[in-house]
């Protein structure tokens, strides 16, 4: 048997074989192939609940795979050009956190952009590493952060030669890509590993006209969100590793936090999705590229909207652009992105990925069809005609440079008190505040609360952004450190 025969799906095949055996279950899960929960069986179907099984010898074990899961991981590594691949059932959050925890520990530095997903900052809370931020440039018209400039990464490395790793978004939520290959080379030249949060870049591996993938660029670890553009079930993901990373060590880190009861529904979906992409990915993503390009042209022809693309590329802070991302700026029609997001859902039954203060993102992938594109374009035209305004004073800046006073771990676990939001100016936050999606924190533990941040939070709330993170679900109060004195030597770890 050829282990790199991409026509195979070993986990799915093992489940099919197991289903034919009619094994009597005296193990978990307790619904016993759905018989104990008929309502669930009616909802999901007998095939689904029948494959919701426990780890056993014929089906392998996710914590220490030796047979079908191991084969599926080898096939995934081959399909993505990695030395190792790990099937993840805790979402790309789990993959990102395992990636970070594999390379840095308490007190060690990691160089990264501030516009990272909350999972990265959560990893720093867990391990105690110290962030060194490379603040991105912003596009003034769009109000979005761009990529990491190579010169800024180099400056951060020179200032922090003891840093252990550099982390890059590949791409950002909006489709912006940094010069990943140059950043990888720079990190390696200085004895650091390079990590890529590739939650929104699964498709990069399957088409030559898309930005370079992390593994092709030589990155050491990459978290790949298969359920986003790859077609697997929600919460399933991959963690990829290059040849200079110990697969055994990464497995140990994964097993610190990942469940010992891996869902075979998620695992088999990863297996089948990988097979589909390996066999048909290029053809499918060529179709997605064409749909996205058509949609951009149609949306820009409406007037008022700006569906941006490769014209943003400047060879540095926007080194490349993911043309499958249908990102649209809405400010010129007098509506915040979140307002257009709400109107599309409430008035036209169209659910897009997210809306922020100035932009919306319609996520296109292998399951989309031209008829849905036409419906989206028509609805956007109607939104402009029915709800558009002129001269509305709208906030557009999406990135606020942080003032870091303590490591995320130190601030998260330090004694704190709850104060009304308006009274927290100048204090050090001990919790997260973010709009979700996209899940990029406005505040993380250890950052100082400024007037600009308070105004931003209040404006985002007023516009209807879904705010998450704080202990107070209404975001009227924030947890801040009880007592704080400035340290002469920088960030407290």
């Amino acid at each position: 048997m050829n282990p790199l025969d991409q026509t195979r799906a070993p986990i799915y095949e093992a489940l099919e074989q197991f289903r034919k055996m009619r094994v009597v279950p005296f193990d978990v899960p307790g619904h016993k192939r759905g018989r104990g929960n008929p309502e669930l069986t009616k909802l999901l179907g007998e095939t689904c609940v029948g494959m919701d099984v426990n780890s056993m010898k014929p089906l392998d074990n996710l914590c220490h795979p030796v047979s079908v899961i191991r084969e599926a991981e080898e096939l995934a590594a081959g399909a993505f050009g990695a030395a190792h691949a790990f099937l993840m059932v805790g979402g790309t959050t789990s993959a990102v956190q395992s990636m970070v925890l594999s390379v840095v520990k308490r007190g060690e530095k990691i160089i990264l952009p501030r516009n990272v997903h909350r999972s990265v900052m959560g990893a720093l809370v867990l391990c105690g590493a110290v962030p060194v931020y490379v603040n991105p440039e912003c596009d003034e018209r769009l109000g979005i952060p761009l990529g990491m400039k190579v010169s800024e990464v180099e400056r951060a490395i020179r200032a922090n030669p003891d840093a252990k790793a550099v982390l890059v978004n590949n791409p950002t939520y909006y489709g912006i890509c940094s010069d990943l290959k140059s950043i990888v080379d720079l990190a390696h030249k200085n004895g650091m590993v390079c990590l890529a949060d590739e939650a929104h870049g699964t498709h990069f591996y399957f088409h030559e006209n898309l930005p370079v993938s992390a593994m092709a660029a030589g990155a050491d670890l990459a978290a790949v969100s298969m359920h986003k553009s790859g077609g697997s079930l929600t919460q399933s993901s991959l963690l990829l590793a290059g040849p200079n990373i110990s697969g055994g060590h990464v497995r140990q880190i994964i097993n610190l936090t990942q469940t010992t009861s891996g869902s075979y529904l998620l695992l088999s979906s990863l297996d089948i999705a990988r097979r589909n992409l390996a066999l048909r990915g290029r053809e499918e993503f060529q179709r997605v590229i064409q749909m996205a390009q058509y949609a951009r042209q149609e949306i820009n022809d409406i007037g008022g909207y700006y569906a941006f693309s490769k014209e943003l590329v400047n060879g540095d802070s926007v080194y490349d652009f993911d043309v499958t991302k249908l990102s649209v700026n809405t400010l010129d029609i007098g509506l915040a992105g979140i307002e257009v997001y709400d109107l599309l859902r409430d008035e036209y039954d169209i659910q897009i990925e997210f809306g922020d203060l100035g932009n919306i993102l319609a996520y296109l992938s292998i399951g989309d069809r031209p008829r849905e594109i036409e419906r989206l374009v028509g609805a956007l035209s109607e939104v402009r005609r029915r709800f558009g305004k002129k001269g509305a004073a709208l906030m557009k800046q999406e990135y606020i440079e942080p003032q870091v006073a303590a490591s995320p771990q130190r601030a998260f676990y330090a004694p704190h008190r709850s104060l009304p939001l308006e009274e927290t100016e100048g204090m050090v936050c001990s919790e997260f505040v973010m709009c979700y999606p996209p899940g990029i924190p406005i505040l993380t533990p250890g950052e100082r609360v400024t007037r600009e941040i308070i105004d931003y939070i209040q404006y985002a709330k007023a516009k209807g952004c879904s705010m998450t993170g704080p202990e107070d679900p209404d975001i009227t109060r924030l947890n801040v450190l009880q007592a704080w004195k400035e340290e002469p030597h920088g960030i407290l770890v």
Side-chain angles (χ1 to χ4, degrees):
M1 180 181 62
N2 179 3
L4 293 182
D5 178 3
Q6 295 290 347
T7 64
R8 296 197 59 240
I11 298 174
Y12 167 69
E13 292 161 9
L15 281 169
E16 282 287 277
Q17 183 62 33
F18 176 78
R19 192 161 62 95
K20 294 173 184 176
M21 294 170 63
R22 302 178 66 83
V23 172
V24 178
F26 283 105
D27 62 350
V28 297
H31 61 67
K32 305 291 181 173
R33 314 293 188 264
R35 292 192 297 273
N37 194 336
E39 292 88 353
L40 182 67
T41 303
K42 183 179 179 181
L43 174 66
L44 300 181
E46 291 185 7
T47 300
C48 185
V49 294
M51 288 189 172
D52 182 33
V53 294
N54 191 31
S55 295
M56 59 189 76
K57 279 191 176 181
L59 297 178
D60 209 354
N61 188 300
L62 183 59
C63 295
H64 186 75
V66 295
S67 60
V68 294
I69 294 177
R70 182 175 179 178
E71 291 172 24
E73 290 187 334
E74 289 171 350
L75 285 165
F80 285 82
H84 312 280
F86 305 90
L87 305 186
M88 307 295 295
V89 296
T92 309
T93 289
S94 177
V96 166
Q97 293 183 344
S98 296
M99 176 172 72
V100 174
L101 268 58
S102 293
V103 299
V104 286
K105 55 183 181 290
R106 180 175 169 81
E108 294 181 339
K109 297 175 183 176
I110 179 170
I111 297 168
L112 69 164
R114 176 56 180 75
N115 57 319
V116 290
H117 188 260
R118 63 178 296 176
S119 58
V120 177
M121 305 312 299
L124 301 188
V125 168
L126 293 173
C127 71
V130 180
V132 175
Y133 293 128
V134 176
N135 291 318
E137 285 187 347
C138 283
D139 185 289
E140 286 302 316
R141 176 180 178 184
L142 303 177
I144 63 171
L146 304 177
M148 297 168 80
K149 298 177 71 170
V150 175
S151 60
E152 290 298 308
V153 176
E154 188 171 19
R155 186 168 72 171
I157 288 175
R158 283 200 306 268
N160 301 274
D162 55 339
K164 301 297 182 182
V166 178
L167 185 144
V168 187
N169 293 322
N170 195 51
T172 69
Y173 224 137
Y174 302 96
I176 306 293
C177 293
S178 303
D179 185 355
L180 181 58
K181 180 68 168 63
S182 294
I183 293 172
V184 168
D185 292 344
L186 191 58
H188 289 171
K189 180 181 175 182
N190 287 275
M192 303 175 190
V193 297
C194 189
L195 316 179
D197 180 348
E198 222 160 28
H200 299 279
T202 306
H203 45 296
F204 289 4
Y205 291 85
F206 300 99
H207 202 286
E208 68 279 5
N209 292 336
L210 292 172
V212 67
S213 69
M215 290 296 104
D220 297 288
L221 287 162
V224 176
S225 196
M226 279 287 278
H227 74 90
K228 289 187 171 71
S229 60
S232 63
L233 289 177
T234 295
Q235 201 175 304
S236 58
S237 186
L238 292 175
L239 178 56
L240 305 178
N244 298 322
I245 295 293
S246 166
H249 173 65
V250 174
R251 179 85 67 193
Q252 286 183 318
I253 297 296
I254 290 170
N255 286 342
L256 291 176
T257 57
Q258 180 155 265
T259 178
T260 56
S261 304
S263 165
Y264 279 87
L265 299 175
L266 299 180
L267 293 172
S268 60
S269 82
L270 282 169
D271 203 19
I272 295 167
R274 181 271 314 153
R275 179 174 67 179
N276 181 52
L277 294 183
L279 299 181
R280 294 176 286 275
R282 190 194 180 282
E283 172 188 339
E284 288 294 301
F285 288 117
Q286 176 62 31
R287 186 174 58 82
V288 175
I289 290 169
Q290 291 171 343
M291 283 193 297
Q293 290 172 335
Y294 170 77
R296 259 190 295 276
Q297 180 178 336
E298 293 293 304
I299 291 169
N300 286 332
D301 285 346
I302 294 170
Y305 295 106
Y306 175 33
F308 46 93
S309 186
K310 278 184 174 286
E311 70 277 0
L312 299 182
V313 171
N314 58 25
D316 197 358
S317 57
V318 186
Y319 184 77
D320 206 347
F321 184 82
D322 175 11
V323 293
T324 73
K325 295 288 187 296
L326 187 54
S327 303
V328 184
N329 186 265
T330 65
L331 293 182
D332 284 351
I333 67 165
L335 294 173
I338 187 62
E339 292 175 311
V340 175
Y341 170 97
D342 287 338
L343 287 168
L344 287 173
R345 183 193 61 245
D346 297 341
E347 299 287 330
Y348 300 95
D349 295 329
I350 294 174
Q351 181 62 58
I352 59 173
E353 177 66 12
F354 81 88
D356 59 29
L357 297 188
N359 305 277
I360 59 172
L361 172 65
Y363 212 100
L364 303 189
S365 194
I366 56 178
D368 287 298
R369 300 170 297 180
R371 71 180 73 170
E372 281 87 19
I373 300 294
E374 298 290 357
R375 185 170 168 188
L376 173 63
V377 171
L380 287 173
S381 179
E382 282 288 296
V383 166
R384 181 191 181 224
R385 183 182 64 82
R386 294 177 60 195
F387 304 101
K389 306 170 187 175
K390 289 185 178 181
L394 296 171
M395 182 181 288
K396 64 179 180 179
Q397 189 63 39
E398 289 294 322
Y399 178 77
I400 301 172
E401 187 171 334
Q403 297 180 20
V404 182
S407 73
Q409 185 184 68
R410 175 69 182 265
F412 187 83
Y413 289 110
H416 61 264
R417 54 180 172 154
S418 175
L419 288 177
L421 179 62
E422 278 288 343
E423 297 177 19
T424 61
E425 184 176 353
M427 297 185 177
V428 178
C429 191
S430 71
E431 57 187 354
F432 292 94
V433 182
M434 69 209 78
C435 296
Y436 193 87
I440 297 167
I442 300 164
L443 274 172
T444 68
E447 292 178 358
R448 195 173 302 283
V449 184
T450 64
R451 182 72 248 171
E452 187 179 11
I453 287 171
I454 293 172
D455 291 343
Y456 184 97
I457 291 171
Q458 291 174 332
Y459 184 86
K461 285 175 59 182
K463 286 296 182 183
C465 290
S466 177
M467 308 288 287
T468 66
E471 188 175 330
D472 172 21
D474 297 324
I475 330 287
T476 59
R477 304 179 70 85
L478 277 184
N479 288 343
V480 294
L481 300 195
Q482 280 187 2
W484 191 255
K485 68 182 183 70
E486 290 294 337
E487 293 294 314
H489 304 299
I491 299 172
L492 274 184
V493 299

